[in-house]
Amino acid sequence: MVDRELGFSLWLDFIERDFLQNEFSSMIEKGIINGATSNPAIFASAITSSPAYKEQLESLAGKSAKEKYEALAIDDIKTAAQALRENYEEGNDGYISIEVDPFLSNDTAGTVEEGKRLFEAIGEPNVMVKVPATEAGYEAMKELLSQGISVNATLIFSPEQAMKCVEAMKEGIAASDKKVNAVISVFVSRFDRMLDSALEEAGVDAAKVGNYNAAKIYAMIESHKVPEIRTLFASTGVKGDALPADYYIRELFASRSVNTAPLATIEHYIKESATPAKLPLDMAHIDAHFEAVEKAGIKMEEVYEKLLTDGLVAFEEAFEEMLESIK
């Protein structure tokens, strides 16, 4: 559930047309969620597996695959934005995110052009444009914010990425004469899926790196005290039975934060009572854990680089497969 007193927001990391037209509004009205996110992989899954898009796809015959995708995505994002509009007007988040073409991750001008075009085509103020945290992306974030378009920086794994986002966002927000907000999406669970086996063998506590890295970045972002910029904890779904399904929500419960999670994760989370705030964590405790990780032979800079590269490639592959399926 959303906790407005604490300043904790829960967003749904899922988009699918039938769901948007039915259960989505109920979750908003009940205060379970106050925002939503999407990405190329989520749209690829929805468009290729749901019959809800069949009729519109048939009406788009003769268009390019990307034109078809954008028509479908724009309609879905518009539907979500309208459902969330009351939240937005009340200052209770109400944002829905749409990501630019993942093949533009190293193209600042292309990212800005596409972000503006999608934002204008959707025609709702409570849309965030998702931009990967690459060198080209930081400049695009600044430019989009300066033009009055809210931004969701995505695929953040390292503290360095997060701080580059903060600096770019501060400049963009200062240059804008419109209401804009920004979130820095720190990916969490992928660290643990990548590292836990090696850490367990070395006698280091498992399922901690993702949370501790996110907690460290959260503290760094909060130290800047920019009201328009918050930490968003992403990649918070659990795979397998080793951890509770809502582990990455409860362990990162914090003021002035957002957690975006899959539908099944949120459904599990709301079955039990609320969690007391877990962050901020003691930095000495975090540092001690990363010292143990390093002693286990794991170089975090290499981990950060691999996870970012893998994340960019995964979004490109999902996007390409989806376009191929709707040619």
Side-chain angles (χ1 to χ4, degrees), residues 14-18 39-54 57 72 76 322:
F14 178 65
I15 288 285
E16 190 279 322
R17 186 159 295 180
D18 278 341
N39 63 43
I42 288 172
F43 266 118
S45 176
I47 292 168
T48 57
S49 64
S50 170
Y53 299 93
K54 185 173 182 291
L57 276 172
L72 301 176
D76 278 1
M322 181 267 297

mmCIF file with all atom_site columns, all heavy atoms in Angstrom, residues 14-18 39-54 57 72 76 322:
data_model
loop_
_atom_site.group_PDB
_atom_site.id
_atom_site.type_symbol
_atom_site.label_atom_id
_atom_site.label_alt_id
_atom_site.label_comp_id
_atom_site.label_asym_id
_atom_site.label_entity_id
_atom_site.label_seq_id
_atom_site.pdbx_PDB_ins_code
_atom_site.Cartn_x
_atom_site.Cartn_y
_atom_site.Cartn_z
_atom_site.occupancy
_atom_site.B_iso_or_equiv
_atom_site.pdbx_formal_charge
_atom_site.auth_seq_id
_atom_site.auth_comp_id
_atom_site.auth_asym_id
_atom_site.auth_atom_id
_atom_site.pdbx_PDB_model_num
ATOM 1   N N   . PHE A 1 14  ? 3.978  -3.055  -14.674 1.00 0.00 ? 14  PHE A N   1
ATOM 2   C CA  . PHE A 1 14  ? 3.206  -3.955  -15.543 1.00 0.00 ? 14  PHE A CA  1
ATOM 3   C C   . PHE A 1 14  ? 2.251  -3.127  -16.396 1.00 0.00 ? 14  PHE A C   1
ATOM 4   O O   . PHE A 1 14  ? 1.627  -2.189  -15.915 1.00 0.00 ? 14  PHE A O   1
ATOM 5   C CB  . PHE A 1 14  ? 2.409  -4.946  -14.687 1.00 0.00 ? 14  PHE A CB  1
ATOM 6   C CG  . PHE A 1 14  ? 1.529  -5.887  -15.465 1.00 0.00 ? 14  PHE A CG  1
ATOM 7   C CD1 . PHE A 1 14  ? 2.076  -6.823  -16.327 1.00 0.00 ? 14  PHE A CD1 1
ATOM 8   C CD2 . PHE A 1 14  ? 0.142  -5.837  -15.321 1.00 0.00 ? 14  PHE A CD2 1
ATOM 9   C CE1 . PHE A 1 14  ? 1.256  -7.705  -17.042 1.00 0.00 ? 14  PHE A CE1 1
ATOM 10  C CE2 . PHE A 1 14  ? -0.679 -6.706  -16.026 1.00 0.00 ? 14  PHE A CE2 1
ATOM 11  C CZ  . PHE A 1 14  ? -0.115 -7.644  -16.881 1.00 0.00 ? 14  PHE A CZ  1
ATOM 12  N N   . ILE A 1 15  ? 2.142  -3.509  -17.653 1.00 0.00 ? 15  ILE A N   1
ATOM 13  C CA  . ILE A 1 15  ? 1.197  -2.880  -18.579 1.00 0.00 ? 15  ILE A CA  1
ATOM 14  C C   . ILE A 1 15  ? 0.595  -3.986  -19.452 1.00 0.00 ? 15  ILE A C   1
ATOM 15  O O   . ILE A 1 15  ? 1.318  -4.807  -20.009 1.00 0.00 ? 15  ILE A O   1
ATOM 16  C CB  . ILE A 1 15  ? 1.900  -1.853  -19.501 1.00 0.00 ? 15  ILE A CB  1
ATOM 17  C CG1 . ILE A 1 15  ? 2.305  -0.604  -18.717 1.00 0.00 ? 15  ILE A CG1 1
ATOM 18  C CG2 . ILE A 1 15  ? 1.018  -1.473  -20.685 1.00 0.00 ? 15  ILE A CG2 1
ATOM 19  C CD1 . ILE A 1 15  ? 1.169  0.323   -18.376 1.00 0.00 ? 15  ILE A CD1 1
ATOM 20  N N   . GLU A 1 16  ? -0.716 -4.005  -19.547 1.00 0.00 ? 16  GLU A N   1
ATOM 21  C CA  . GLU A 1 16  ? -1.416 -4.912  -20.473 1.00 0.00 ? 16  GLU A CA  1
ATOM 22  C C   . GLU A 1 16  ? -2.821 -4.366  -20.631 1.00 0.00 ? 16  GLU A C   1
ATOM 23  O O   . GLU A 1 16  ? -3.453 -3.968  -19.651 1.00 0.00 ? 16  GLU A O   1
ATOM 24  C CB  . GLU A 1 16  ? -1.416 -6.344  -19.934 1.00 0.00 ? 16  GLU A CB  1
ATOM 25  C CG  . GLU A 1 16  ? -1.905 -7.396  -20.924 1.00 0.00 ? 16  GLU A CG  1
ATOM 26  C CD  . GLU A 1 16  ? -3.426 -7.452  -20.989 1.00 0.00 ? 16  GLU A CD  1
ATOM 27  O OE1 . GLU A 1 16  ? -4.065 -7.300  -19.922 1.00 0.00 ? 16  GLU A OE1 1
ATOM 28  O OE2 . GLU A 1 16  ? -3.978 -7.626  -22.096 1.00 0.00 ? 16  GLU A OE2 1
ATOM 29  N N   . ARG A 1 17  ? -3.316 -4.320  -21.846 1.00 0.00 ? 17  ARG A N   1
ATOM 30  C CA  . ARG A 1 17  ? -4.536 -3.561  -22.147 1.00 0.00 ? 17  ARG A CA  1
ATOM 31  C C   . ARG A 1 17  ? -5.758 -4.005  -21.366 1.00 0.00 ? 17  ARG A C   1
ATOM 32  O O   . ARG A 1 17  ? -6.476 -3.162  -20.791 1.00 0.00 ? 17  ARG A O   1
ATOM 33  C CB  . ARG A 1 17  ? -4.802 -3.607  -23.654 1.00 0.00 ? 17  ARG A CB  1
ATOM 34  C CG  . ARG A 1 17  ? -5.973 -2.726  -24.071 1.00 0.00 ? 17  ARG A CG  1
ATOM 35  C CD  . ARG A 1 17  ? -5.894 -2.392  -25.543 1.00 0.00 ? 17  ARG A CD  1
ATOM 36  N NE  . ARG A 1 17  ? -4.725 -1.579  -25.849 1.00 0.00 ? 17  ARG A NE  1
ATOM 37  C CZ  . ARG A 1 17  ? -4.421 -1.146  -27.082 1.00 0.00 ? 17  ARG A CZ  1
ATOM 38  N NH1 . ARG A 1 17  ? -5.179 -1.490  -28.115 1.00 0.00 ? 17  ARG A NH1 1
ATOM 39  N NH2 . ARG A 1 17  ? -3.365 -0.391  -27.272 1.00 0.00 ? 17  ARG A NH2 1
ATOM 40  N N   . ASP A 1 18  ? -6.065 -5.286  -21.323 1.00 0.00 ? 18  ASP A N   1
ATOM 41  C CA  . ASP A 1 18  ? -7.244 -5.741  -20.573 1.00 0.00 ? 18  ASP A CA  1
ATOM 42  C C   . ASP A 1 18  ? -7.134 -5.364  -19.104 1.00 0.00 ? 18  ASP A C   1
ATOM 43  O O   . ASP A 1 18  ? -8.114 -4.933  -18.481 1.00 0.00 ? 18  ASP A O   1
ATOM 44  C CB  . ASP A 1 18  ? -7.407 -7.269  -20.701 1.00 0.00 ? 18  ASP A CB  1
ATOM 45  C CG  . ASP A 1 18  ? -8.104 -7.667  -21.998 1.00 0.00 ? 18  ASP A CG  1
ATOM 46  O OD1 . ASP A 1 18  ? -8.768 -6.797  -22.614 1.00 0.00 ? 18  ASP A OD1 1
ATOM 47  O OD2 . ASP A 1 18  ? -7.981 -8.836  -22.392 1.00 0.00 ? 18  ASP A OD2 1
ATOM 48  N N   . ASN A 1 39  ? 8.417  -0.991  -19.649 1.00 0.00 ? 39  ASN A N   1
ATOM 49  C CA  . ASN A 1 39  ? 9.706  -1.038  -20.340 1.00 0.00 ? 39  ASN A CA  1
ATOM 50  C C   . ASN A 1 39  ? 9.541  -1.881  -21.597 1.00 0.00 ? 39  ASN A C   1
ATOM 51  O O   . ASN A 1 39  ? 8.480  -2.483  -21.804 1.00 0.00 ? 39  ASN A O   1
ATOM 52  C CB  . ASN A 1 39  ? 10.819 -1.555  -19.417 1.00 0.00 ? 39  ASN A CB  1
ATOM 53  C CG  . ASN A 1 39  ? 10.588 -2.987  -18.961 1.00 0.00 ? 39  ASN A CG  1
ATOM 54  O OD1 . ASN A 1 39  ? 10.206 -3.851  -19.735 1.00 0.00 ? 39  ASN A OD1 1
ATOM 55  N ND2 . ASN A 1 39  ? 10.834 -3.246  -17.690 1.00 0.00 ? 39  ASN A ND2 1
ATOM 56  N N   . PRO A 1 40  ? 10.535 -1.931  -22.460 1.00 0.00 ? 40  PRO A N   1
ATOM 57  C CA  . PRO A 1 40  ? 10.391 -2.695  -23.702 1.00 0.00 ? 40  PRO A CA  1
ATOM 58  C C   . PRO A 1 40  ? 10.039 -4.159  -23.483 1.00 0.00 ? 40  PRO A C   1
ATOM 59  O O   . PRO A 1 40  ? 9.252  -4.736  -24.249 1.00 0.00 ? 40  PRO A O   1
ATOM 60  C CB  . PRO A 1 40  ? 11.775 -2.548  -24.352 1.00 0.00 ? 40  PRO A CB  1
ATOM 61  C CG  . PRO A 1 40  ? 12.286 -1.240  -23.849 1.00 0.00 ? 40  PRO A CG  1
ATOM 62  C CD  . PRO A 1 40  ? 11.803 -1.159  -22.437 1.00 0.00 ? 40  PRO A CD  1
ATOM 63  N N   . ALA A 1 41  ? 10.589 -4.771  -22.438 1.00 0.00 ? 41  ALA A N   1
ATOM 64  C CA  . ALA A 1 41  ? 10.298 -6.183  -22.181 1.00 0.00 ? 41  ALA A CA  1
ATOM 65  C C   . ALA A 1 41  ? 8.841  -6.370  -21.759 1.00 0.00 ? 41  ALA A C   1
ATOM 66  O O   . ALA A 1 41  ? 8.182  -7.347  -22.157 1.00 0.00 ? 41  ALA A O   1
ATOM 67  C CB  . ALA A 1 41  ? 11.242 -6.718  -21.109 1.00 0.00 ? 41  ALA A CB  1
ATOM 68  N N   . ILE A 1 42  ? 8.318  -5.451  -20.950 1.00 0.00 ? 42  ILE A N   1
ATOM 69  C CA  . ILE A 1 42  ? 6.922  -5.544  -20.505 1.00 0.00 ? 42  ILE A CA  1
ATOM 70  C C   . ILE A 1 42  ? 5.975  -5.391  -21.686 1.00 0.00 ? 42  ILE A C   1
ATOM 71  O O   . ILE A 1 42  ? 5.015  -6.165  -21.844 1.00 0.00 ? 42  ILE A O   1
ATOM 72  C CB  . ILE A 1 42  ? 6.631  -4.483  -19.424 1.00 0.00 ? 42  ILE A CB  1
ATOM 73  C CG1 . ILE A 1 42  ? 7.315  -4.874  -18.108 1.00 0.00 ? 42  ILE A CG1 1
ATOM 74  C CG2 . ILE A 1 42  ? 5.134  -4.297  -19.216 1.00 0.00 ? 42  ILE A CG2 1
ATOM 75  C CD1 . ILE A 1 42  ? 7.264  -3.813  -17.032 1.00 0.00 ? 42  ILE A CD1 1
ATOM 76  N N   . PHE A 1 43  ? 6.235  -4.411  -22.546 1.00 0.00 ? 43  PHE A N   1
ATOM 77  C CA  . PHE A 1 43  ? 5.383  -4.244  -23.726 1.00 0.00 ? 43  PHE A CA  1
ATOM 78  C C   . PHE A 1 43  ? 5.511  -5.430  -24.669 1.00 0.00 ? 43  PHE A C   1
ATOM 79  O O   . PHE A 1 43  ? 4.520  -5.869  -25.266 1.00 0.00 ? 43  PHE A O   1
ATOM 80  C CB  . PHE A 1 43  ? 5.715  -2.939  -24.455 1.00 0.00 ? 43  PHE A CB  1
ATOM 81  C CG  . PHE A 1 43  ? 4.852  -1.790  -24.029 1.00 0.00 ? 43  PHE A CG  1
ATOM 82  C CD1 . PHE A 1 43  ? 5.404  -0.669  -23.444 1.00 0.00 ? 43  PHE A CD1 1
ATOM 83  C CD2 . PHE A 1 43  ? 3.478  -1.819  -24.206 1.00 0.00 ? 43  PHE A CD2 1
ATOM 84  C CE1 . PHE A 1 43  ? 4.613  0.396   -23.041 1.00 0.00 ? 43  PHE A CE1 1
ATOM 85  C CE2 . PHE A 1 43  ? 2.672  -0.766  -23.802 1.00 0.00 ? 43  PHE A CE2 1
ATOM 86  C CZ  . PHE A 1 43  ? 3.235  0.347   -23.224 1.00 0.00 ? 43  PHE A CZ  1
ATOM 87  N N   . ALA A 1 44  ? 6.710  -5.951  -24.825 1.00 0.00 ? 44  ALA A N   1
ATOM 88  C CA  . ALA A 1 44  ? 6.901  -7.106  -25.701 1.00 0.00 ? 44  ALA A CA  1
ATOM 89  C C   . ALA A 1 44  ? 6.056  -8.273  -25.226 1.00 0.00 ? 44  ALA A C   1
ATOM 90  O O   . ALA A 1 44  ? 5.378  -8.948  -26.020 1.00 0.00 ? 44  ALA A O   1
ATOM 91  C CB  . ALA A 1 44  ? 8.374  -7.502  -25.746 1.00 0.00 ? 44  ALA A CB  1
ATOM 92  N N   . SER A 1 45  ? 6.061  -8.520  -23.924 1.00 0.00 ? 45  SER A N   1
ATOM 93  C CA  . SER A 1 45  ? 5.275  -9.610  -23.362 1.00 0.00 ? 45  SER A CA  1
ATOM 94  C C   . SER A 1 45  ? 3.787  -9.375  -23.558 1.00 0.00 ? 45  SER A C   1
ATOM 95  O O   . SER A 1 45  ? 3.039  -10.288 -23.951 1.00 0.00 ? 45  SER A O   1
ATOM 96  C CB  . SER A 1 45  ? 5.591  -9.763  -21.867 1.00 0.00 ? 45  SER A CB  1
ATOM 97  O OG  . SER A 1 45  ? 4.781  -10.746 -21.280 1.00 0.00 ? 45  SER A OG  1
ATOM 98  N N   . ALA A 1 46  ? 3.336  -8.138  -23.293 1.00 0.00 ? 46  ALA A N   1
ATOM 99  C CA  . ALA A 1 46  ? 1.909  -7.838  -23.416 1.00 0.00 ? 46  ALA A CA  1
ATOM 100 C C   . ALA A 1 46  ? 1.424  -7.970  -24.859 1.00 0.00 ? 46  ALA A C   1
ATOM 101 O O   . ALA A 1 46  ? 0.416  -8.632  -25.136 1.00 0.00 ? 46  ALA A O   1
ATOM 102 C CB  . ALA A 1 46  ? 1.633  -6.423  -22.892 1.00 0.00 ? 46  ALA A CB  1
ATOM 103 N N   . ILE A 1 47  ? 2.145  -7.356  -25.772 1.00 0.00 ? 47  ILE A N   1
ATOM 104 C CA  . ILE A 1 47  ? 1.694  -7.304  -27.163 1.00 0.00 ? 47  ILE A CA  1
ATOM 105 C C   . ILE A 1 47  ? 1.736  -8.673  -27.827 1.00 0.00 ? 47  ILE A C   1
ATOM 106 O O   . ILE A 1 47  ? 0.860  -9.021  -28.639 1.00 0.00 ? 47  ILE A O   1
ATOM 107 C CB  . ILE A 1 47  ? 2.530  -6.276  -27.956 1.00 0.00 ? 47  ILE A CB  1
ATOM 108 C CG1 . ILE A 1 47  ? 2.209  -4.850  -27.463 1.00 0.00 ? 47  ILE A CG1 1
ATOM 109 C CG2 . ILE A 1 47  ? 2.284  -6.382  -29.457 1.00 0.00 ? 47  ILE A CG2 1
ATOM 110 C CD1 . ILE A 1 47  ? 3.158  -3.782  -27.967 1.00 0.00 ? 47  ILE A CD1 1
ATOM 111 N N   . THR A 1 48  ? 2.723  -9.490  -27.474 1.00 0.00 ? 48  THR A N   1
ATOM 112 C CA  . THR A 1 48  ? 2.868  -10.794 -28.134 1.00 0.00 ? 48  THR A CA  1
ATOM 113 C C   . THR A 1 48  ? 2.026  -11.895 -27.482 1.00 0.00 ? 48  THR A C   1
ATOM 114 O O   . THR A 1 48  ? 1.807  -12.939 -28.081 1.00 0.00 ? 48  THR A O   1
ATOM 115 C CB  . THR A 1 48  ? 4.342  -11.253 -28.148 1.00 0.00 ? 48  THR A CB  1
ATOM 116 O OG1 . THR A 1 48  ? 4.838  -11.301 -26.796 1.00 0.00 ? 48  THR A OG1 1
ATOM 117 C CG2 . THR A 1 48  ? 5.197  -10.302 -28.967 1.00 0.00 ? 48  THR A CG2 1
ATOM 118 N N   . SER A 1 49  ? 1.531  -11.659 -26.261 1.00 0.00 ? 49  SER A N   1
ATOM 119 C CA  . SER A 1 49  ? 0.800  -12.732 -25.570 1.00 0.00 ? 49  SER A CA  1
ATOM 120 C C   . SER A 1 49  ? -0.671 -12.432 -25.329 1.00 0.00 ? 49  SER A C   1
ATOM 121 O O   . SER A 1 49  ? -1.450 -13.347 -25.041 1.00 0.00 ? 49  SER A O   1
ATOM 122 C CB  . SER A 1 49  ? 1.470  -13.035 -24.221 1.00 0.00 ? 49  SER A CB  1
ATOM 123 O OG  . SER A 1 49  ? 1.396  -11.921 -23.357 1.00 0.00 ? 49  SER A OG  1
ATOM 124 N N   . SER A 1 50  ? -1.079 -11.167 -25.431 1.00 0.00 ? 50  SER A N   1
ATOM 125 C CA  . SER A 1 50  ? -2.460 -10.810 -25.134 1.00 0.00 ? 50  SER A CA  1
ATOM 126 C C   . SER A 1 50  ? -3.274 -10.614 -26.418 1.00 0.00 ? 50  SER A C   1
ATOM 127 O O   . SER A 1 50  ? -2.844 -9.921  -27.335 1.00 0.00 ? 50  SER A O   1
ATOM 128 C CB  . SER A 1 50  ? -2.509 -9.514  -24.317 1.00 0.00 ? 50  SER A CB  1
ATOM 129 O OG  . SER A 1 50  ? -3.836 -9.037  -24.214 1.00 0.00 ? 50  SER A OG  1
ATOM 130 N N   . PRO A 1 51  ? -4.486 -11.189 -26.468 1.00 0.00 ? 51  PRO A N   1
ATOM 131 C CA  . PRO A 1 51  ? -5.351 -10.986 -27.643 1.00 0.00 ? 51  PRO A CA  1
ATOM 132 C C   . PRO A 1 51  ? -5.958 -9.587  -27.702 1.00 0.00 ? 51  PRO A C   1
ATOM 133 O O   . PRO A 1 51  ? -6.572 -9.215  -28.697 1.00 0.00 ? 51  PRO A O   1
ATOM 134 C CB  . PRO A 1 51  ? -6.440 -12.047 -27.453 1.00 0.00 ? 51  PRO A CB  1
ATOM 135 C CG  . PRO A 1 51  ? -6.489 -12.287 -25.977 1.00 0.00 ? 51  PRO A CG  1
ATOM 136 C CD  . PRO A 1 51  ? -5.085 -12.116 -25.492 1.00 0.00 ? 51  PRO A CD  1
ATOM 137 N N   . ALA A 1 52  ? -5.760 -8.786  -26.652 1.00 0.00 ? 52  ALA A N   1
ATOM 138 C CA  . ALA A 1 52  ? -6.379 -7.454  -26.579 1.00 0.00 ? 52  ALA A CA  1
ATOM 139 C C   . ALA A 1 52  ? -5.867 -6.510  -27.660 1.00 0.00 ? 52  ALA A C   1
ATOM 140 O O   . ALA A 1 52  ? -6.493 -5.483  -27.936 1.00 0.00 ? 52  ALA A O   1
ATOM 141 C CB  . ALA A 1 52  ? -6.131 -6.851  -25.204 1.00 0.00 ? 52  ALA A CB  1
ATOM 142 N N   . TYR A 1 53  ? -4.737 -6.836  -28.288 1.00 0.00 ? 53  TYR A N   1
ATOM 143 C CA  . TYR A 1 53  ? -4.142 -5.936  -29.271 1.00 0.00 ? 53  TYR A CA  1
ATOM 144 C C   . TYR A 1 53  ? -4.465 -6.348  -30.715 1.00 0.00 ? 53  TYR A C   1
ATOM 145 O O   . TYR A 1 53  ? -4.101 -5.638  -31.653 1.00 0.00 ? 53  TYR A O   1
ATOM 146 C CB  . TYR A 1 53  ? -2.620 -5.900  -29.084 1.00 0.00 ? 53  TYR A CB  1
ATOM 147 C CG  . TYR A 1 53  ? -2.211 -5.395  -27.722 1.00 0.00 ? 53  TYR A CG  1
ATOM 148 C CD1 . TYR A 1 53  ? -1.975 -6.280  -26.670 1.00 0.00 ? 53  TYR A CD1 1
ATOM 149 C CD2 . TYR A 1 53  ? -2.086 -4.033  -27.470 1.00 0.00 ? 53  TYR A CD2 1
ATOM 150 C CE1 . TYR A 1 53  ? -1.621 -5.825  -25.409 1.00 0.00 ? 53  TYR A CE1 1
ATOM 151 C CE2 . TYR A 1 53  ? -1.728 -3.563  -26.213 1.00 0.00 ? 53  TYR A CE2 1
ATOM 152 C CZ  . TYR A 1 53  ? -1.501 -4.471  -25.185 1.00 0.00 ? 53  TYR A CZ  1
ATOM 153 O OH  . TYR A 1 53  ? -1.159 -4.005  -23.947 1.00 0.00 ? 53  TYR A OH  1
ATOM 154 N N   . LYS A 1 54  ? -5.120 -7.482  -30.878 1.00 0.00 ? 54  LYS A N   1
ATOM 155 C CA  . LYS A 1 54  ? -5.314 -8.058  -32.208 1.00 0.00 ? 54  LYS A CA  1
ATOM 156 C C   . LYS A 1 54  ? -6.065 -7.106  -33.148 1.00 0.00 ? 54  LYS A C   1
ATOM 157 O O   . LYS A 1 54  ? -5.631 -6.851  -34.272 1.00 0.00 ? 54  LYS A O   1
ATOM 158 C CB  . LYS A 1 54  ? -6.070 -9.380  -32.092 1.00 0.00 ? 54  LYS A CB  1
ATOM 159 C CG  . LYS A 1 54  ? -6.243 -10.142 -33.401 1.00 0.00 ? 54  LYS A CG  1
ATOM 160 C CD  . LYS A 1 54  ? -6.854 -11.510 -33.126 1.00 0.00 ? 54  LYS A CD  1
ATOM 161 C CE  . LYS A 1 54  ? -6.982 -12.315 -34.418 1.00 0.00 ? 54  LYS A CE  1
ATOM 162 N NZ  . LYS A 1 54  ? -7.982 -11.778 -35.326 1.00 0.00 ? 54  LYS A NZ  1
ATOM 163 N N   . LEU A 1 57  ? -4.012 -4.015  -34.090 1.00 0.00 ? 57  LEU A N   1
ATOM 164 C CA  . LEU A 1 57  ? -2.913 -4.399  -34.978 1.00 0.00 ? 57  LEU A CA  1
ATOM 165 C C   . LEU A 1 57  ? -3.417 -4.605  -36.404 1.00 0.00 ? 57  LEU A C   1
ATOM 166 O O   . LEU A 1 57  ? -2.756 -4.198  -37.371 1.00 0.00 ? 57  LEU A O   1
ATOM 167 C CB  . LEU A 1 57  ? -2.232 -5.673  -34.470 1.00 0.00 ? 57  LEU A CB  1
ATOM 168 C CG  . LEU A 1 57  ? -1.162 -5.490  -33.399 1.00 0.00 ? 57  LEU A CG  1
ATOM 169 C CD1 . LEU A 1 57  ? -0.731 -6.840  -32.851 1.00 0.00 ? 57  LEU A CD1 1
ATOM 170 C CD2 . LEU A 1 57  ? 0.049  -4.739  -33.952 1.00 0.00 ? 57  LEU A CD2 1
ATOM 171 N N   . LEU A 1 72  ? 0.211  1.249   -30.367 1.00 0.00 ? 72  LEU A N   1
ATOM 172 C CA  . LEU A 1 72  ? -0.292 0.439   -29.255 1.00 0.00 ? 72  LEU A CA  1
ATOM 173 C C   . LEU A 1 72  ? 0.167  1.000   -27.914 1.00 0.00 ? 72  LEU A C   1
ATOM 174 O O   . LEU A 1 72  ? -0.626 1.154   -26.978 1.00 0.00 ? 72  LEU A O   1
ATOM 175 C CB  . LEU A 1 72  ? 0.200  -1.003  -29.389 1.00 0.00 ? 72  LEU A CB  1
ATOM 176 C CG  . LEU A 1 72  ? -0.163 -1.781  -30.660 1.00 0.00 ? 72  LEU A CG  1
ATOM 177 C CD1 . LEU A 1 72  ? 0.500  -3.153  -30.653 1.00 0.00 ? 72  LEU A CD1 1
ATOM 178 C CD2 . LEU A 1 72  ? -1.673 -1.938  -30.792 1.00 0.00 ? 72  LEU A CD2 1
ATOM 179 N N   . ASP A 1 76  ? -2.015 2.626   -24.668 1.00 0.00 ? 76  ASP A N   1
ATOM 180 C CA  . ASP A 1 76  ? -1.961 2.045   -23.324 1.00 0.00 ? 76  ASP A CA  1
ATOM 181 C C   . ASP A 1 76  ? -1.470 3.054   -22.294 1.00 0.00 ? 76  ASP A C   1
ATOM 182 O O   . ASP A 1 76  ? -2.017 3.153   -21.187 1.00 0.00 ? 76  ASP A O   1
ATOM 183 C CB  . ASP A 1 76  ? -1.039 0.820   -23.314 1.00 0.00 ? 76  ASP A CB  1
ATOM 184 C CG  . ASP A 1 76  ? -1.730 -0.438  -23.812 1.00 0.00 ? 76  ASP A CG  1
ATOM 185 O OD1 . ASP A 1 76  ? -2.913 -0.369  -24.193 1.00 0.00 ? 76  ASP A OD1 1
ATOM 186 O OD2 . ASP A 1 76  ? -1.080 -1.504  -23.818 1.00 0.00 ? 76  ASP A OD2 1
ATOM 187 N N   . MET A 1 322 ? 9.858  -8.212  -30.268 1.00 0.00 ? 322 MET A N   1
ATOM 188 C CA  . MET A 1 322 ? 8.480  -7.726  -30.329 1.00 0.00 ? 322 MET A CA  1
ATOM 189 C C   . MET A 1 322 ? 8.176  -7.105  -31.684 1.00 0.00 ? 322 MET A C   1
ATOM 190 O O   . MET A 1 322 ? 7.139  -7.376  -32.293 1.00 0.00 ? 322 MET A O   1
ATOM 191 C CB  . MET A 1 322 ? 8.244  -6.722  -29.199 1.00 0.00 ? 322 MET A CB  1
ATOM 192 C CG  . MET A 1 322 ? 6.844  -6.153  -29.124 1.00 0.00 ? 322 MET A CG  1
ATOM 193 S SD  . MET A 1 322 ? 6.698  -4.617  -30.040 1.00 0.00 ? 322 MET A SD  1
ATOM 194 C CE  . MET A 1 322 ? 7.830  -3.593  -29.125 1.00 0.00 ? 322 MET A CE  1
#
